[in-house]
Amino acid sequence: MRLVLLVTIPLLLHSVVAAPSPRPRESFPLRPALGDLVNLERYPIGDLRSAEGRALVEKARSDLAATGCASFPCFLMEAALSDAVAEATAAAPSAFATDDTHNAYQLSTDAKLGPEHVRNKQMRTRVASTACDELDSSRAIRALYASDELLGLVKAITGKNAHRLADPLGAASINVFRSGWAHAWHYDESEFTVTLSLVQAAEGGAFEFTEPLRRSVDDLAFETTAAVINDHSEYAVEPAGAACPSVRTAPFAPGTLQIFAGRTSLHRVSEVKGERLVAVYCFSDIEGFVNSPEVQRMFWGRAVRPDR
């Protein structure tokens, strides 16, 4: 199975590309070392072969398998978090925005089933995205993504031969939620997603998820998927009557890193009051992977190929 970790929200409006925001006057280093970025005392990702490193990976693998999510609170150092929040906040006003609908599977409509069936029911999502090339490669967000130690952690926990994307837009981006916006219940196309919490909403904006409900991409789990949507949203879908699986809320304290099994665990972001910012790090089992021009235009309103 190929691992392609991509943002999967269709984006339909054009945005203006912002110049990278000025570096704060605080003394965050121009070329940060791993210890400037990551809380290595708590998360020794520089040596995953050590006893502490092995224990970290083992617990994360267990959490991912059992709940669908492995969380690492306080992953960033304080100065790195301040730098990441400053850059993301400055870029947010020009983020490329969408207001669209989708079903839980993000698939085209199945004509054999009715519009209220969970396979077809359209639910509204509003979100925006800041592209990778709008971010400064020397600042905390992209510096962490470029870290070989983070890549090694992702490989160790997921068991996949992951590579960073070569996509100038989609490699590392920032999801932006504004007041009244939400992301409806859905499964991801990608097997795993890696996120970094930056700014927590004043109210709402909870990342809610289930334990893994699907065994494969072909397993649509209609009954349990419908039960979650019926019990935990304003939508009513068919088939009804199944017992609802437990729904968890992931920690979203700024500086929290998460690795999430989005293809098998149903999840959403509840309605936001204020602003919610989260970095999304994308990986693939294909070295040098770049989204097609069509996908880039869908996600960021423009197409950019890597420098050759």
Side-chain angles (χ1 to χ4, degrees):
M1 178 182 295
R2 283 184 170 179
L3 167 66
V4 181
L5 307 184
L6 303 174
V7 188
T8 57
I9 305 168
L11 303 175
L12 307 175
L13 306 177
H14 183 66
S15 69
V16 177
V17 178
S21 58
R23 181 181 298 276
R25 289 192 293 177
E26 290 87 19
S27 57
F28 188 72
L30 181 63
R31 295 179 178 82
L34 183 64
D36 298 318
L37 296 166
V38 178
N39 182 352
L40 294 177
E41 184 175 344
R42 184 166 179 176
Y43 301 112
I45 69 171
D47 185 8
L48 295 180
R49 295 182 180 180
S50 67
E52 295 83 0
R54 292 196 304 271
L56 172 67
V57 169
E58 183 177 349
K59 182 180 186 307
R61 283 177 173 171
S62 176
D63 290 346
L64 189 63
T67 71
C69 185
S71 294
F72 307 88
C74 302
F75 190 80
L76 284 189
M77 296 296 288
E78 184 176 345
L81 176 59
S82 296
D83 183 74
V85 168
E87 184 177 31
T89 301
S94 62
F96 184 97
T98 186
D99 184 349
D100 205 358
T101 63
H102 57 84
N103 58 51
Y105 307 94
Q106 302 196 84
L107 297 172
S108 58
T109 298
D110 185 339
K112 298 188 295 296
L113 300 170
E116 303 306 312
H117 193 280
V118 66
R119 171 64 177 74
N120 292 334
K121 182 67 174 182
Q122 294 295 298
M123 298 175 289
R124 187 183 188 185
T125 284
R126 287 185 287 178
V127 68
S129 182
T130 299
C132 188
D133 67 357
E134 298 175 66
L135 303 172
D136 187 332
S137 63
S138 70
R139 296 186 66 173
I141 295 171
R142 287 187 59 181
L144 179 60
Y145 180 66
S147 162
D148 288 339
E149 290 82 2
L150 178 65
L151 181 62
L153 181 69
V154 171
K155 289 179 178 180
I157 293 171
T158 65
K160 305 294 182 180
N161 186 25
H163 302 275
R164 287 182 289 268
L165 267 61
D167 191 327
L169 305 183
S173 59
I174 301 170
N175 278 358
V176 179
F177 289 86
R178 300 176 181 132
S179 285
W181 291 13
H183 194 167
W185 287 106
H186 66 286
Y187 297 101
D188 292 339
E189 291 182 352
S190 58
E191 188 172 0
F192 297 100
T193 301
V194 180
T195 64
L196 180 66
S197 306
L198 299 176
V199 174
Q200 191 166 15
E203 294 182 36
F207 182 76
E208 299 175 343
F209 66 100
T210 69
E211 64 188 23
L213 302 181
R214 308 166 69 189
R215 294 181 297 274
S216 71
V217 70
D218 297 319
D219 176 12
L220 299 184
F222 286 151
E223 290 77 13
T224 49
T225 301
V228 173
I229 294 170
N230 284 330
D231 283 13
H232 294 275
S233 79
E234 69 272 29
Y235 298 101
V237 298
E238 301 170 351
C244 182
S246 62
V247 172
R248 295 178 169 87
T249 299
F252 195 86
T256 299
L257 185 84
Q258 293 185 0
I259 301 177
F260 177 68
R263 185 183 291 168
T264 57
S265 292
L266 190 66
H267 55 285
R268 73 165 179 174
V269 176
S270 65
E271 185 173 329
V272 167
K273 290 185 179 180
E275 186 172 65
R276 179 186 190 272
L277 304 177
V278 58
V280 180
Y281 291 151
C282 298
F283 302 86
S284 173
D285 64 346
I286 305 169
E287 189 170 6
F289 182 87
V290 181
N291 286 299
S292 69
E294 291 77 15
V295 167
Q296 288 184 330
R297 292 188 187 100
M298 180 187 301
F299 279 50
W300 296 282
R302 55 198 171 93
V304 179
R305 312 318 290 164
D307 294 334
R308 297 297 184 185

